[in-house]
Amino acid sequence: MIRVLIADDQHLVRSGLAALLGAETDIEVAGVAPDGTEALAMARDLVPDVACLDIRMPGRSGIEVARELCAPGADPQVPVLVLTTFDLDDYVFGALEAGASGFLLKDAPPETIVHAVRQVAAGQGTIDQTLTRRILREFVHRRRLQPVTGRRAEDLLTPREHEILLLLAQGMSNDDIARTLVVEVSTVKSHLARMLPKLGVQSRLQAVVWAYQNRVVAVPEAGAG
């Protein structure tokens, strides 16, 4: 069972998300918070599998809460899915820098939101597909997430880890990568757990950004996507 914490300052949104996710047989709404301060307290008390956070909330913003929950060594460390009505680049960048595992607009189809919760709970990142190319391009050019080294991935990673990084940059899930490499999903997860610290990043999404920044994969062209 995937236990989810929902935090949003709008009652209608909170109740709607709770109804949507609670209707799934494999998802349980562990708690609902009206602001960032209460969300952080509830996350530390309930230790959910996923925290679904709005960005703009009283007390603490979703980005501030994500920074607390996703930081290396955080206790507890809770994966964060950001759900917002705003697709402003600074919000997306802030969520990625804070270590959020996913970023979706609230007007995404219900099935997309449910699928995103499952992906984040399974340790897989997600980002609204309408934003992906623009975000990666802008994030790389602004260099908001500084690479920890000038060395390329080949110098930091094992051949298998480098291969997995390239597949991540193609948007593949753990299951997709496992099928492509003909290995177990648990093996992919083990490689990821060793790879992320080497790159100095906290999430799969940050690893993809690192790959673009270090020109391991080509930066999307301005007219693409």
Side-chain angles (χ1 to χ4, degrees):
M1 184 70 70
I2 300 170
R3 300 174 65 251
V4 179
L5 170 66
I6 297 169
D8 197 291
D9 61 345
Q10 296 183 29
H11 174 73
L12 185 61
V13 174
R14 291 197 306 272
S15 59
L17 283 173
L20 171 67
L21 298 175
E24 300 298 318
T25 58
D26 61 335
I27 298 177
E28 172 190 349
V29 178
V32 179
D35 58 60
T37 301
E38 188 169 339
L40 184 57
M42 292 181 71
R44 288 171 171 167
D45 181 49
L46 299 171
V47 193
D49 298 302
V50 179
C52 294
L53 307 177
D54 186 20
I55 282 186
R56 299 208 304 190
M57 295 186 290
R60 292 195 178 199
S61 71
I63 291 175
E64 290 175 305
V65 176
R67 193 172 291 120
E68 293 278 350
L69 296 178
C70 302
D75 185 20
Q77 192 170 62
V78 178
V80 167
L81 172 63
V82 172
L83 292 168
T84 181
T85 54
F86 303 96
D87 68 345
L88 300 178
D89 288 348
D90 282 343
Y91 287 142
V92 186
F93 297 157
L96 292 179
E97 288 174 332
S101 297
F103 187 101
L104 285 181
L105 300 181
K106 289 179 185 176
D107 61 1
E111 61 272 17
T112 299
I113 294 176
V114 172
H115 180 63
V117 168
R118 292 186 178 121
Q119 279 190 300
V120 170
Q124 302 176 29
T126 186
I127 189 168
D128 192 297
Q129 292 303 304
T130 63
L131 304 176
T132 302
R133 285 188 179 274
R134 189 188 88 213
I135 293 309
L136 286 174
R137 184 172 62 248
E138 291 299 322
F139 211 156
V140 170
H141 289 327
R142 292 189 186 194
R143 303 189 68 80
R144 294 287 295 273
L145 179 64
Q146 294 294 336
V148 295
T149 175
R151 293 189 297 168
R152 291 174 59 83
E154 293 93 332
D155 302 317
L156 288 169
L157 307 177
T158 66
R160 179 62 92 189
E161 289 167 350
H162 179 248
E163 194 172 13
I164 288 174
L165 179 61
L166 294 178
L167 296 176
L168 278 181
Q170 294 177 32
M172 287 194 182
S173 67
N174 288 353
D175 289 341
D176 294 333
I177 293 172
R179 282 193 293 270
T180 299
L181 300 180
V182 195
V183 297
E184 297 294 327
V185 174
S186 59
T187 301
V188 175
K189 291 180 178 179
S190 295
H191 283 301
L192 284 171
R194 291 190 294 268
M195 181 178 73
L196 298 185
K198 292 181 182 180
L199 302 182
V201 300
Q202 302 172 38
S203 70
R204 296 161 55 98
L205 291 178
Q206 287 185 343
V208 172
V209 172
W210 189 97
Y212 279 99
Q213 286 182 315
N214 286 273
R215 301 300 190 268
V216 177
V217 291
V219 180
E221 295 297 330

